[in-house]
């Protein structure tokens, strides 16, 4: 019996606390598998954010640090500068990266920090119970936008990949999704490529992963996948924005 | 029977995503039982139809499913 | 090594390098700019890494990462910048990480001024961030002492896995004074087996974290940290007692103000008034016993805390003296520096009244 699929060593045995059907779990697996397959688990250091994935330090089997809200890219900068040969990644939600941590992610990209950022965009604040995020879509309801996000009042959702792609040393920027198996496979490819580019020392790498939040979207897990496909992808196109010449 | 899937049942949260991914539609929720978390766990009754594609395992957020090929 | 003339900020930076600091993350703010500037030139020369961060918030979080990765790391700033770092500092204390933070204090509050002050005493010693924690706070009164304290600060930080603050003021940073980089006695320190270096064959993964979602575990964590603080209070207090014998009035002053007070003491002596000084070098842990002992001296009629602030350390003096003798305060703030003459008059007023 040949094993086609089994749990990666990149994840610990600890069951996750995520809500049923939350795709954080899938993204964790893609990161962990990528590290294992690239032989990087032994020298990886991950940085967990504040948000639903705040406990990621218990789920990844490599060394981990838990950073203050929004500061993971700065924390990762410190780690990578101390251990330049390590594989450093930040795993951040949209509140963490696109709201309070905007300066940190922009400047980590500007400096071309040789780290990989996994940016999980589920268009809402999950851990704190469903508030509006910078990525919340216009008209999308949230506990702090009860009638739906009003663009005149609270602006338009921010497209971080497009924005960061304008930064010279942000050498690999790709947006992917995990709403179905083909996209999950493509997402894994992008994440693995990001780590490869990091280890080549070419510059800052980021993969934005569109993700669901069944609980705070008020949908079943399966409906949430559908909602993501029909509402998020039109506004957040699945696409590669930057790839270094050396890797093309 | 080309493939075999096993479920680490007590880690299943009953989210049903795997049921949407199976090309031969054999992954279902076991409505006769609940697991330690109180969810109906995912299961396969007609294992002979499994083609070991691994799709169910790839979409599972809790890495519950192991897939083997004969 | 012969004595050389050094500017305070640069001497502090060089002292850190002598202590093995190889990582510095900073941000421009007067009057501490020469520290990052100096580090940007010197650190690469010793195989270290200097980064100018996008903000003091980012800088302290880079310190968090580097300290968690096992490095000797420092940051510096001045008052407003130190305020921005407070959240990061309590995370560093909560995650039990060693680092050195230099505050070259300037006039406040708000944007304040750029002249020397001591109005960050409360922030430094009572905790400017959230939660129960302490920084070890060292207050040099000269550039030579700053050089010695900075080097010892890294050992204290590593020994107790806690942030240590060097609380200078604009004068300490900007003055030039003769300095000798003597060999500072190094402490026996455990290996940093807890650092996130990457597994590198290690079986268990290391986690740097200050989150304890279970309240019982969070309380246990606090109790564990406070056992450290009890040790620090027992072993690390540094204080200078000056001219206390038969003193009628005892000054309390730290940093550069203590030097001004010593001149006032000499002037008072000429007027037949015996005055002494207790100079806390560690502002936390505070030398309470020294003040209590002095308060029990029959000759002592009053204490006078002299600070470049509206009165902050005076409260710790009062707490230490426990009401045994009256405690007064005199200060200038906003960047104004008290003069020996004014201090002498203040003392006379108090003693005149106290006779």
């Amino acid at each position: 019996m040949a094993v086609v699929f089994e749990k990666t060593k990149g994840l610990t045995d600890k069951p996750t606390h995520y809500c049923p059907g939350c795709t954080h779990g899938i993204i964790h697996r893609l990161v962990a598998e990528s590290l294992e397959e690239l032989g990087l688990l032994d020298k990886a250091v991950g940085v967990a954010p504040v948000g639903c994935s705040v406990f990621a330090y218990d789920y990844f089997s490599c060394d981990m640090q838990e950073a203050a809200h929004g500061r993971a890219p700065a924390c990762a900068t410190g780690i990578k500068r101390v251990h330049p040969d390590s594989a450093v990644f930040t795993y951040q939600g949209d509140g963490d990266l696109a709201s309070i941590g905007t300066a940190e992610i922009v400047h980590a990209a500007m400096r071309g920090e040789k780290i990989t950022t996994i940016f999980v965009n589920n268009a809402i604040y999950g851990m704190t119970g469903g508030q509006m995020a910078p990525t919340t879509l216009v008209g999308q309801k949230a506990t702090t936008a009860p009638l739906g996000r009003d663009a005149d009042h609270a602006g338009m959702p921010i497209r971080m990949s497009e924005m960061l792609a304008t930064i010279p040393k942000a050498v690999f920027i790709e947006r992917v999704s995990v709403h179905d198996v083909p996209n999950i496979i493509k997402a894994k490819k992008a994440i693995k490529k990001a780590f490869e580019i990091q280890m080549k020392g070419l510059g800052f790498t980021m993969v934005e992963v569109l993700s669901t939040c069944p609980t705070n979207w008020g949908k079943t897990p399966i409906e949430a996948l559908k909602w993501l496909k029909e509402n998020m992808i039109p506004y957040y196109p699945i696409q590669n924005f930057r790839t270094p010449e050396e890797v093309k | 029977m080309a493939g075999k899937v096993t479920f680490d049942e007590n880690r299943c949260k009953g989210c049903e995503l795997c049921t949407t991914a199976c090309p031969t539609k054999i992954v279902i929720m076991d409505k006769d039982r609940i697991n330690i978390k109180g969810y109906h766990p995912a299961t396969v009754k007609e294992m002979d139809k499994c083609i070991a594609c691994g799709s169910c395992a790839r979409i599972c957020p809790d890495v519950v499913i192991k897939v083997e090929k004969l | 090594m012969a004595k050389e003339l050094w500017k305070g900020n640069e001497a502090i930076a060089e002292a850190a390098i002598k202590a093995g600091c190889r990582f510095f993350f900073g941000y421009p703010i007067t009057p501490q700019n020469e520290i990052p500037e100096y580090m940007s030139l010197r650190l690469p020369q010793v195989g270290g890494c200097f980064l100018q961060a996008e903000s003091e918030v980012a800088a302290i979080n880079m310190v968090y990462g580097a300290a968690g990765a096992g490095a000797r790391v420092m940051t510096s700033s001045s008052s407003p910048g130190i305020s921005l770092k407070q959240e990061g500092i309590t995370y560093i204390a909560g995650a039990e990480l060693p680092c050195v933070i230099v505050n070259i204090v300037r006039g406040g509050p708000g944007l304040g001024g750029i002249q020397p002050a001591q109005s960050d005493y409360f922030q430094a010693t009572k905790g400017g961030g959230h939660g129960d924690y302490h920084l070890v706070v060292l207050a040099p009164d000269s550039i030579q002492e700053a050089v010695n304290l900075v080097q010892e600060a890294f050992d204290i930080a590593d020994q107790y896995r806690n942030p240590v603050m060097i609380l200078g003021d604009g004068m300490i940073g900007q003055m030039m004074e003769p300095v000798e980089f003597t060999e500072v006695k190094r402490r026996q320190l455990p290996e940093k087996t807890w650092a996130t270096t990457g597994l590198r064959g290690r079986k268990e993964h290391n986690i740097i974290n200050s989150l304890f979602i279970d309240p019982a575990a969070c309380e246990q964590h606090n109790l564990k940290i406070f056992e450290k603080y009890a040790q620090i209070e027992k072993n690390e207090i540094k204080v200078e007692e000056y001219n206390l014998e038969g003193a009628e009035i005892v000054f309390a002053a730290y940093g550069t103000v203590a030097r001004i007070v010593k001149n006032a003491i000499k002037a008072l002596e000429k007027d037949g008034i015996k005055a002494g000084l207790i100079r806390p070098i560690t502002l936390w842990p505070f030398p309470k016993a020294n003040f209590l002992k002095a308060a029990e001296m029959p000759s002592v009629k009053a204490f006078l805390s002299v600070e470049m602030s509206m009165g902050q350390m005076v409260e710790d003096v009062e707490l230490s003296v426990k009401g045994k003798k009256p405690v007064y305060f005199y200060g200038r703030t906003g960047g104004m520096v008290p003069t020996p003459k004014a201090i002498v008059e203040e003392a006379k007023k108090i003693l005149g009244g106290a006779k």
Side-chain angles (χ1 to χ4, degrees):
Chain A
M1 285 282 259
V3 173
V4 169
F5 185 95
E6 67 180 337
K7 180 167 183 169
T8 165
K9 292 192 196 59
L11 292 174
T12 63
D13 291 334
K14 186 150 190 184
T16 69
H17 70 292
Y18 297 117
C19 305
C22 166
T23 48
H24 259 309
I26 299 173
I27 302 164
H28 277 36
R29 178 173 61 73
L30 300 184
V31 173
E33 280 176 3
S34 300
L35 289 171
E36 183 181 12
E37 286 160 24
L38 293 169
L40 294 174
L41 272 182
D42 202 42
K43 51 184 184 175
V45 183
V47 182
V50 169
C52 282
S53 48
V54 68
F55 295 119
Y57 56 78
D58 274 338
Y59 303 142
F60 288 113
S61 60
C62 58
D63 276 0
M64 294 291 293
Q65 291 200 19
E66 163 46 47
H69 193 33
R71 316 309 172 196
C75 179
T77 295
I79 297 166
K80 185 74 179 193
R81 296 300 176 132
V82 174
H83 300 297
D85 65 332
S86 55
V88 176
F89 67 95
T90 72
Y91 186 102
Q92 300 175 255
D94 40 9
D96 197 85
L97 181 139
S99 198
I100 191 171
T102 331
E104 277 74 12
I105 196 69
V106 165
H107 285 271
M110 178 209 76
R111 290 190 302 269
E113 292 299 337
K114 300 173 182 63
I115 61 175
T116 297
T117 286
I118 307 299
F119 166 36
V120 178
N121 176 1
N122 62 2
I124 198 108
Y125 278 80
M127 168 71 88
T128 44
Q131 294 77 15
M132 184 181 77
T135 46
T136 296
L137 300 178
V138 172
Q140 181 184 348
K141 286 194 169 59
T143 55
T144 49
L147 306 178
R149 178 175 190 163
D150 168 359
D152 293 337
H153 179 68
M156 299 284 290
I158 190 166
R159 294 188 178 104
M160 289 306 294
S161 288
E162 287 81 344
M163 193 173 89
L164 293 174
T166 67
I167 296 175
K169 283 267 195 185
V171 296
F172 182 76
I173 303 279
E174 185 152 336
R175 178 180 296 124
V176 297
S177 176
V178 285
H179 66 278
D180 60 26
V181 175
N183 273 281
I184 290 169
I185 291 169
K186 270 186 268 164
K188 164 102 177 264
K189 234 184 248 133
I191 290 171
K192 210 169 168 181
K193 199 167 174 185
F195 278 112
E196 281 164 341
I197 290 165
Q198 173 189 157
M199 298 319 283
K200 287 194 172 78
L202 298 177
F204 174 77
T205 62
M206 180 177 94
V207 177
E208 176 179 352
V209 188
L210 300 183
S211 184
T212 62
C213 182
T215 300
N216 290 304
W217 290 358
K219 292 182 171 37
T220 70
I222 293 172
E223 286 164 357
L225 295 183
K226 190 163 171 293
W227 189 85
L228 184 159
K229 189 173 167 189
E230 288 164 359
N231 298 277
M232 287 186 75
I233 290 181
Y235 191 83
Y236 298 111
I238 302 288
Q239 170 189 339
N240 176 283
F241 297 92
R242 285 289 296 283
T243 300
E245 284 311 312
E246 302 84 337
V247 168
K248 271 198 179 112
Chain B
M1 184 162 103
K4 176 171 166 254
V5 287
T6 42
F7 296 82
D8 185 349
E9 275 194 352
N10 283 323
R11 293 178 77 111
C12 175
K13 293 175 186 168
C15 77
E16 304 184 10
L17 293 191
C18 50
T19 64
T20 67
C22 176
T24 61
K25 294 285 169 244
I26 56 171
V27 180
I28 56 166
M29 306 314 286
D30 190 339
K31 299 294 182 183
D32 308 332
R33 294 182 299 111
I34 57 170
N35 68 4
I36 199 165
K37 296 177 192 285
Y39 294 112
H40 291 300
T43 189
V44 165
K45 298 271 194 259
E46 305 163 282
M47 197 62 82
D48 54 324
K49 290 191 180 143
C50 172
I51 60 169
C53 71
S55 293
C56 57
R58 287 186 209 290
I59 202 166
C60 172
D62 293 279
V63 204
V64 167
I65 305 169
K66 180 176 176 185
V67 183
E68 290 162 301
K69 198 182 189 93
L70 296 187
Chain C
M1 260 271 277
K3 279 201 188 270
E4 293 169 341
L5 204 55
W6 279 79
K7 181 168 202 155
N9 281 334
E10 287 168 349
I12 286 169
E14 184 57 32
I17 290 175
K18 290 266 185 304
C21 170
R22 288 297 175 269
F23 295 86
F24 180 92
F25 307 101
Y27 189 81
I29 183 167
T30 301
Q32 59 84 55
N33 292 313
E34 294 83 359
I35 298 177
E37 287 165 352
Y38 186 87
M39 284 298 202
S40 68
L41 182 72
R42 274 287 284 147
L43 270 180
Q45 292 172 347
V46 293
C49 169
F50 161 85
L51 266 188
Q52 181 171 306
E54 57 271 28
S55 72
E56 289 93 346
V57 175
I60 193 70
N61 281 286
M62 291 177 189
V63 166
Y64 179 99
R72 278 201 156 182
V73 54
M74 180 165 102
T75 185
S76 65
S77 188
S78 294
S79 309
I82 297 290
S83 293
L84 284 172
K85 290 179 194 285
Q86 290 305 313
E87 185 203 29
I89 289 171
T90 159
Y91 268 71
I92 288 171
E96 296 192 85
L97 294 177
C99 73
V100 174
I101 302 155
V102 179
N103 181 4
I104 303 296
V105 181
R106 64 190 244 177
L111 195 48
I114 58 168
Q115 299 297 329
Q118 298 182 321
S119 33
D120 296 358
Y121 178 92
F122 281 154
Q123 180 188 58
T125 59
K126 307 301 175 189
H130 58 281
D132 296 300
Y133 72 98
H134 282 293
L135 301 183
V136 176
V137 183
L138 305 168
D141 72 348
S142 68
I143 296 174
Q144 181 64 60
E145 190 174 52
V147 159
N148 301 342
L149 290 178
V150 162
Q151 294 179 72
E152 198 178 357
F154 281 96
D155 275 8
I156 296 172
D158 279 357
Q159 180 173 338
Y160 296 97
R161 284 182 62 183
N162 201 72
V164 175
M165 177 172 277
I166 301 289
L167 197 72
D169 59 57
M171 282 186 270
I172 291 281
Q174 294 299 325
M175 273 192 306
M176 290 188 82
E177 284 188 317
V179 164
E180 196 174 355
F181 284 97
T182 50
E183 232 16 76
V184 171
K185 191 174 65 54
R186 282 294 182 78
R187 301 181 184 205
Q188 273 304 325
L189 295 170
E191 225 202 299
K192 296 182 177 179
T193 51
W194 42 265
T196 56
T197 55
L199 289 164
R200 315 223 179 228
R202 192 174 356 103
K203 281 286 152 281
E204 291 298 317
H205 67 164
N206 282 343
I207 299 173
I208 299 298
N209 163 54
S210 62
L211 172 65
F212 295 86
I213 204 79
D214 161 26
C218 195
E219 183 176 53
Q220 279 313 313
H221 187 59
N222 274 271
L223 293 172
K224 180 183 148 207
I225 288 183
F226 270 70
E227 271 161 28
K228 273 195 307 190
Y229 295 143
Q231 283 305 316
I232 293 172
E233 283 184 298
K234 206 165 111 242
N235 308 323
E236 304 297 341
I237 289 183
K238 294 176 188 300
V239 58
E240 177 194 0
E241 289 187 348
Y242 174 82
N243 213 40
L244 281 189
E245 210 32 57
E248 298 170 63
I249 184 164
V250 174
F251 289 98
Y254 69 92
T256 46
V257 172
R259 291 166 66 171
I260 301 168
V261 161
K262 284 181 181 172
N263 291 330
I265 288 172
K266 292 190 182 85
L268 284 166
E269 218 132 76
K270 289 201 190 76
D271 298 348
I273 296 172
K274 195 79 170 53
L277 160 71
I278 297 176
R279 174 171 80 92
I281 300 168
T282 51
L283 302 184
W284 194 88
F286 192 73
K288 303 174 193 152
N290 301 68
F291 282 99
L292 186 57
K293 201 174 78 210
E296 284 155 353
M297 283 165 55
S299 65
V300 171
K301 297 191 180 63
F303 288 83
L304 175 54
S305 179
V306 183
E307 303 165 57
M308 289 194 287
S309 72
M310 296 303 288
Q312 295 188 19
M313 183 171 72
V314 59
E315 292 190 5
D316 279 332
V317 176
E318 279 180 278
L319 284 173
S320 308
V321 163
K322 296 183 176 160
K324 289 186 187 306
K325 295 282 171 59
V327 176
Y328 298 90
F329 166 75
Y330 170 72
R332 301 297 300 271
T333 196
M336 298 304 291
V337 179
T339 62
K341 197 159 88 54
I343 295 168
V344 164
E345 277 153 27
E346 203 58 33
K348 284 182 178 169
K349 214 168 36 176
I350 291 166
L351 286 176
K355 270 203 179 52

